[in-house]
Amino acid sequence: MAAMTLLPGCAQQGSPEDERARAAESDSDIKIAVAWPWEAHADLYFAQGLEMAADEINGAGGVLGRHISLVTVDDQESVNEGRLVAQRLAGDPEIMAIVGHLQSYVTVPAAAIYDLAGLLLVAPTSTSAELTSKGYERVFRATLTDQVIGRAMAEFAELREYRRVAIYYVRNGYGRALANAFEERSYDLDIGVVARQSYDPNQDFGQRALEPVLQEWRQMDLDAVFLAGQVPVAGRVITGLRSAGIDAPILGSDAMSAPSLITEGGFAAEGTVVASLFHPVDPRPAVQRFVSDFRARNDHDPDTAAALGYDAVRLLAHAMETAGSPAPERVADAMRGVRAWKGVTGSFTFDEKGDLVGRHPVHLVVRNGAFDLLPPQDQVREARMIEGGR
């Protein structure tokens, strides 16, 4: 198994940059730190994906003849703790790269600390456009932005010939960015956004609570609702929408592509289509090999978090091999030169800001209490089947 250890808090001699340069040229393990809310999100299989990637790399001889060692730290999903974690990692000269954090509101301030310290950051789940808007040279996003997801879901609505759509979004930066992107792209596509409301994720989502907001929606003859939400609350929102008499098809954001949407939403979630970066039934050979090996190790299928963690470590290893060194500056140069590197979540090519280009989400539909991949050629046909059986 890959070494998954807690970060030691020891003082170092000399500047971290000089010490890191020496560590990069040593023959010791290459340390990659993973900052994540481990305790709060034990339901995600992120760690299993990371470990599997590191074990595969080490089993094949490592990177440049050296083993990968994963160092885990818990940011507690807190901005303050995230900053403290970033400062500790920045002060450890043996750390060559960071993978993390889960939430954009933690990643964005932490990224400034990493960049100042000359560390490289791969962000596998942070979708806020702000992350790559600061001109950092060592920050790379291994997922899609809220803007890409929002536009893609509007294009999906256009494909289904939805013309009257309502937007319901969680009242935070994530929800607003998705709602704005969806609405702007809908305007371009002549889709009418006839209603837009936000919700507090801490509110009650029973019929009585939703009635003041949704009373007029029942009279609007809606073709669809775009729900920009996050699990597990999004599942309860869907139940509330159905209980309030809103029976229009529901399109959801990428943060809804987790099993808790179904456990919380139950039968009400049937037919919901969400954006995602990954699904284990993807027929690509690389994905099927990953799923088979992951299942053999863990006795269950990987989730999107596992796939994102796996790709992040494999991508870093590829860039280090290409650079001929794990030194952050050289690895960053190699990352900028990556062209169509194939991961299990898709192809990796980065623009000058560190964002992925040429990538689009897949679409998952809730069918019979589980997510199923919706192939592009079947999207319209499947949509009409679902609506026809409603």
Side-chain angles (χ1 to χ4, degrees), residues 46-330:
F46 190 58
Q48 290 95 318
L50 295 163
E51 291 172 350
M52 181 171 158
D55 285 351
E56 289 179 354
I57 293 164
N58 292 338
V63 174
L64 303 170
R66 299 163 61 181
H67 276 197
I68 292 286
S69 177
L70 302 178
V71 179
T72 64
V73 286
D74 197 316
D75 63 20
Q76 299 176 25
E77 248 177 341
S78 158
V79 172
N80 290 336
E81 187 62 26
R83 286 196 181 102
L84 291 173
V85 161
Q87 289 165 357
R88 289 164 56 201
L89 293 173
D92 185 336
E94 295 186 353
I95 300 297
M96 295 294 134
I98 312 293
V99 175
H101 302 240
L102 173 60
Q103 303 286 6
S104 293
Y105 64 80
V106 179
T107 312
V108 170
I113 298 171
Y114 299 138
D115 190 70
L116 185 63
L119 272 172
L120 184 142
L121 170 68
V122 174
T125 60
S126 296
T127 58
S128 170
E130 185 180 0
L131 177 64
T132 51
S133 69
K134 308 291 187 180
Y136 300 142
E137 296 183 354
R138 292 169 293 273
V139 172
F140 298 88
R141 189 198 312 273
T143 189
L144 300 176
T145 65
D146 298 327
Q147 286 69 27
V148 171
I149 295 293
R151 290 194 297 266
M153 294 312 292
E155 290 162 4
F156 187 77
E158 197 271 341
L159 181 66
R160 290 194 169 189
E161 301 179 359
Y162 296 152
R163 292 301 168 197
R164 295 175 56 80
V165 179
I167 297 174
Y168 203 36
Y169 67 96
V170 61
R171 200 174 302 139
N172 59 23
Y174 172 78
R176 282 188 293 272
L178 281 163
N180 291 343
F182 182 93
E183 185 166 13
E184 289 165 7
R185 186 63 178 136
S186 293
Y187 178 82
D188 295 337
L189 297 171
D190 293 325
I191 298 172
V193 176
V194 296
R196 172 171 166 152
Q197 296 286 353
S198 65
Y199 64 88
D200 180 344
N202 298 312
Q203 76 181 56
D204 173 30
F205 292 102
Q207 183 173 352
R208 180 176 298 178
L210 289 171
E211 190 68 26
V213 176
L214 303 177
Q215 184 175 8
E216 61 179 326
W217 286 23
R218 289 192 291 270
Q219 313 303 319
M220 286 185 172
D221 191 25
L222 295 174
D223 292 328
V225 174
F226 175 57
L227 177 57
Q230 297 165 298
V231 294
V233 174
R236 298 195 288 273
V237 174
I238 290 175
T239 299
L241 288 170
R242 296 306 189 214
S243 298
I246 305 300
D247 60 0
I250 294 175
L251 309 181
S253 53
D254 57 314
M256 293 166 53
S257 62
S260 54
L261 179 80
I262 298 168
T263 56
E264 291 289 338
F267 182 75
E270 286 289 312
T272 300
V273 174
V274 301
S276 182
L277 275 292
F278 172 82
H279 192 276
V281 302
D282 187 322
R284 288 179 296 138
V287 175
Q288 289 309 300
R289 181 197 61 79
F290 166 68
V291 171
S292 176
D293 292 348
F294 187 95
R295 189 184 295 131
R297 288 171 60 102
N298 301 286
D299 294 325
H300 57 75
D301 282 345
D303 60 4
T304 301
L308 289 167
Y310 180 85
D311 273 356
V313 174
R314 299 284 313 196
L315 176 64
L316 277 170
H318 169 75
M320 289 175 181
E321 285 281 1
T322 302
S325 169
E329 287 291 345
R330 293 177 62 179

